[in-house]
Amino acid sequence: MLHSLISKLISSTRSLLAPNADSCLVCYGPRASSSGELSLCRVCFEHIPWIRPDDIRCDVCGRFESCPDCRRRKDTWFELNLSVVKYNDTMKDWLGRFKYRGDERLQLLFAGMFESLFHRFLAHQAWRAKDITVVTYVPLSKQRLEERGFNQAELFARALGSSFRIPVAPLLDRARHTGKQSYKTREERISDLRGVFAPNEEGISWLSTTVHNKPSQLVVVVDDVYTTGSTMNECARIIRECAPNSRVFSLTWAR
Ligand SMILES: [Zn+2]
Ligand SMILES: [Zn+2]
């Protein structure tokens, strides 16, 4: 009697401290069966503004509205960007909870969403996971990495690498951090990026010596948010200049 009471108490305390696996990753409510692998309740799941293939208006950056950025860009070094969701206020809140407030549970959610995007990417290119040479990520500056303790893009890349058994390697370093990009004009963003990224010597030399079953090395660069594409384009430019035999694709969580 006492024993069962105690074990009941322990289990209810435990569920208060660590919500069970069936609770929604965002609001801790009961999980819906329809949310698939994502561990969300029905309300949170329905809040996700997915970008569906039919929404896409720009074949380069996957934008869901007419796209001046890709048309104006002189050289585009990546072949394609695909994103999971539209970056609305709810998605800003989810990402902020993870990036700035350290809500680690959400990492599972982002990993699951990236996984579904990767399946879509492979289907779109008619490739299998083993065709991809490497998954890499947009780096943070040392200072930013020390402040935050982790690079969200790297975590997403590593999750993809382990679910699809693809090597993950840093191909880029970031010399300094740029201020908040969203407040800047297009020209400011582009000139701001000069000299920000540099090749990661070790990663690049590994890539250059990797022999793969495709005529070119297929490189997937992961980031959290795609805005105008200037950051991704700069990253892709460096990779392609260092490894001219590579083809670069961008996968981002939101845009
Ligand atoms: Zn929920
Ligand atoms: Zn575009």
Short mmCIF file of all heavy atoms in Angstrom, two decimals, residues 73 78 181 186 189-190 193 197 226-235:
data_model
loop_
_atom_site.label_atom_id
_atom_site.label_comp_id
_atom_site.label_asym_id
_atom_site.label_seq_id
_atom_site.Cartn_x
_atom_site.Cartn_y
_atom_site.Cartn_z
N ARG A 73 21.09 38.67 -58.38
CA ARG A 73 22.41 38.17 -57.98
C ARG A 73 23.24 37.86 -59.22
O ARG A 73 22.76 37.22 -60.15
CB ARG A 73 22.22 36.90 -57.13
CG ARG A 73 23.45 36.52 -56.36
CD ARG A 73 23.23 35.22 -55.60
NE ARG A 73 22.15 35.28 -54.63
CZ ARG A 73 21.08 34.48 -54.65
NH1 ARG A 73 20.95 33.57 -55.58
NH2 ARG A 73 20.15 34.60 -53.74
N PHE A 78 25.39 28.33 -55.37
CA PHE A 78 24.70 27.10 -54.96
C PHE A 78 23.61 26.82 -55.98
O PHE A 78 23.13 27.72 -56.66
CB PHE A 78 24.12 27.23 -53.55
CG PHE A 78 23.11 28.34 -53.38
CD1 PHE A 78 21.76 28.10 -53.55
CD2 PHE A 78 23.53 29.63 -53.06
CE1 PHE A 78 20.83 29.13 -53.41
CE2 PHE A 78 22.60 30.66 -52.91
CZ PHE A 78 21.26 30.41 -53.09
N GLN A 181 21.44 41.01 -39.66
CA GLN A 181 21.31 41.18 -41.11
C GLN A 181 19.96 41.77 -41.53
O GLN A 181 19.87 42.48 -42.52
CB GLN A 181 21.49 39.83 -41.80
CG GLN A 181 22.89 39.26 -41.65
CD GLN A 181 23.92 40.08 -42.39
OE1 GLN A 181 23.86 40.23 -43.60
NE2 GLN A 181 24.86 40.64 -41.66
N ARG A 186 20.22 45.33 -48.95
CA ARG A 186 20.85 44.27 -49.71
C ARG A 186 22.34 44.53 -49.96
O ARG A 186 23.18 43.68 -49.75
CB ARG A 186 20.09 44.20 -51.04
CG ARG A 186 20.40 43.04 -51.89
CD ARG A 186 19.74 43.25 -53.24
NE ARG A 186 20.66 42.75 -54.25
CZ ARG A 186 20.85 41.48 -54.48
NH1 ARG A 186 20.18 40.59 -53.81
NH2 ARG A 186 21.71 41.09 -55.39
N ARG A 189 24.38 44.17 -46.82
CA ARG A 189 24.59 42.76 -46.45
C ARG A 189 25.71 42.16 -47.27
O ARG A 189 26.56 41.44 -46.75
CB ARG A 189 23.35 41.93 -46.76
CG ARG A 189 22.22 42.14 -45.82
CD ARG A 189 21.10 41.25 -46.27
NE ARG A 189 19.84 41.82 -45.84
CZ ARG A 189 18.86 41.11 -45.30
NH1 ARG A 189 19.01 39.84 -45.12
NH2 ARG A 189 17.75 41.69 -44.94
N ILE A 190 25.72 42.46 -48.58
CA ILE A 190 26.71 41.83 -49.44
C ILE A 190 28.11 42.34 -49.11
O ILE A 190 29.04 41.56 -48.95
CB ILE A 190 26.35 42.03 -50.93
CG1 ILE A 190 25.05 41.26 -51.23
CG2 ILE A 190 27.47 41.58 -51.85
CD1 ILE A 190 24.46 41.52 -52.59
N LEU A 193 29.66 40.99 -45.94
CA LEU A 193 30.06 39.59 -45.89
C LEU A 193 31.48 39.35 -46.39
O LEU A 193 32.03 38.29 -46.20
CB LEU A 193 29.09 38.74 -46.72
CG LEU A 193 27.77 38.44 -46.04
CD1 LEU A 193 26.79 37.83 -47.02
CD2 LEU A 193 27.99 37.49 -44.86
N PHE A 197 33.84 34.82 -44.12
CA PHE A 197 34.06 33.37 -44.13
C PHE A 197 35.39 33.02 -44.77
O PHE A 197 35.85 33.71 -45.67
CB PHE A 197 32.94 32.66 -44.90
CG PHE A 197 31.60 32.84 -44.26
CD1 PHE A 197 30.68 33.75 -44.78
CD2 PHE A 197 31.24 32.13 -43.13
CE1 PHE A 197 29.44 33.92 -44.19
CE2 PHE A 197 30.01 32.30 -42.52
CZ PHE A 197 29.10 33.20 -43.06
N TYR A 226 17.16 31.23 -44.00
CA TYR A 226 17.61 31.77 -45.28
C TYR A 226 16.86 33.08 -45.48
O TYR A 226 15.64 33.11 -45.47
CB TYR A 226 17.26 30.77 -46.38
CG TYR A 226 17.68 31.15 -47.78
CD1 TYR A 226 18.72 30.46 -48.42
CD2 TYR A 226 17.03 32.15 -48.50
CE1 TYR A 226 19.10 30.78 -49.71
CE2 TYR A 226 17.41 32.47 -49.79
CZ TYR A 226 18.44 31.79 -50.39
OH TYR A 226 18.82 32.10 -51.68
N THR A 227 17.61 34.19 -45.62
CA THR A 227 16.91 35.47 -45.82
C THR A 227 17.03 35.90 -47.27
O THR A 227 16.16 35.61 -48.07
CB THR A 227 17.44 36.53 -44.83
OG1 THR A 227 17.44 35.97 -43.52
CG2 THR A 227 16.53 37.75 -44.84
N THR A 228 18.14 36.56 -47.64
CA THR A 228 18.27 36.94 -49.05
C THR A 228 19.15 35.96 -49.82
O THR A 228 19.22 36.02 -51.03
CB THR A 228 18.96 38.32 -49.20
OG1 THR A 228 20.26 38.20 -48.59
CG2 THR A 228 18.16 39.40 -48.54
N GLY A 229 19.83 35.10 -49.10
CA GLY A 229 20.72 34.16 -49.76
C GLY A 229 22.16 34.64 -49.83
O GLY A 229 23.04 33.92 -50.31
N SER A 230 22.46 35.86 -49.35
CA SER A 230 23.84 36.35 -49.47
C SER A 230 24.81 35.53 -48.63
O SER A 230 25.92 35.24 -49.07
CB SER A 230 23.99 37.82 -49.08
OG SER A 230 22.77 38.45 -48.93
N THR A 231 24.39 35.14 -47.43
CA THR A 231 25.28 34.31 -46.60
C THR A 231 25.55 32.97 -47.26
O THR A 231 26.69 32.53 -47.39
CB THR A 231 24.64 34.07 -45.21
OG1 THR A 231 24.45 35.33 -44.58
CG2 THR A 231 25.51 33.19 -44.34
N MET A 232 24.47 32.33 -47.71
CA MET A 232 24.61 31.01 -48.33
C MET A 232 25.46 31.10 -49.59
O MET A 232 26.30 30.24 -49.85
CB MET A 232 23.22 30.44 -48.63
CG MET A 232 23.22 29.01 -49.04
SD MET A 232 24.07 27.90 -47.89
CE MET A 232 22.89 27.71 -46.56
N ASN A 233 25.25 32.18 -50.36
CA ASN A 233 25.99 32.32 -51.60
C ASN A 233 27.48 32.49 -51.34
O ASN A 233 28.31 31.93 -52.04
CB ASN A 233 25.43 33.51 -52.40
CG ASN A 233 25.78 33.40 -53.87
OD1 ASN A 233 25.73 32.31 -54.45
ND2 ASN A 233 26.14 34.52 -54.48
N GLU A 234 27.80 33.27 -50.31
CA GLU A 234 29.20 33.49 -49.95
C GLU A 234 29.84 32.16 -49.48
O GLU A 234 30.96 31.83 -49.87
CB GLU A 234 29.28 34.57 -48.86
CG GLU A 234 30.68 34.94 -48.42
CD GLU A 234 31.53 35.57 -49.52
OE1 GLU A 234 31.03 35.83 -50.63
OE2 GLU A 234 32.74 35.77 -49.26
N CYS A 235 29.11 31.40 -48.70
CA CYS A 235 29.62 30.10 -48.23
C CYS A 235 29.85 29.17 -49.43
O CYS A 235 30.89 28.52 -49.55
CB CYS A 235 28.65 29.44 -47.25
SG CYS A 235 28.57 30.29 -45.67
#
